[in-house]
Amino acid sequence: MPPAMRHVADIPHPEAKITLFSWNGKYLIKLEKGPLEQTYKVSEMDLTGGDAEVRTLLDEEFLQAAVRRFDHMYQDLHATFVRHDI
């Protein structure tokens, strides 16, 4: 049986829901905005400072890029709906 995913933290942000998990030797950084989500996996071995160090990765530049990526993801999804007249 694989190890259970462990909820580590909810990280406040005004434009996306950010949840940090630990699973299978990795930290999973999950960002959600509406129906879209992005998940980043980072090896626990790469971060000697634990989940506190994961939070340092979530700097303003990273989060702004992720929010812009949500906009692009939405545009891509909308465009395929239009192409297929759905």
Side-chain angles (χ1 to χ4, degrees):
M1 178 186 264
M5 186 177 296
R6 181 176 63 91
H7 176 267
V8 175
D10 292 315
I11 300 169
H13 190 272
E15 296 187 68
K17 179 182 177 188
I18 304 172
T19 310
L20 179 60
F21 297 98
S22 176
W23 178 70
N24 203 21
K26 294 179 179 62
Y27 286 108
L28 279 67
I29 304 165
K30 181 177 177 183
L31 295 91
E32 299 173 81
K33 185 173 181 181
L36 305 172
E37 68 179 50
Q38 300 173 46
T39 302
Y40 299 85
K41 297 177 184 177
V42 180
S43 173
E44 290 179 356
M45 294 177 65
D46 291 341
L47 302 171
T48 58
D51 62 285
E53 194 168 21
V54 174
R55 292 169 189 255
T56 64
L57 297 175
L58 303 177
D59 62 14
E60 192 61 31
E61 186 175 345
F62 176 84
L63 293 174
Q64 284 179 358
V67 169
R68 283 192 306 271
R69 193 166 296 109
F70 276 125
D71 293 337
H72 294 173
M73 291 168 68
Y74 175 79
Q75 291 168 10
D76 293 342
L77 182 61
H78 178 73
T80 195
F81 270 79
V82 169
R83 278 194 308 275
H84 296 285
D85 200 27
I86 298 174

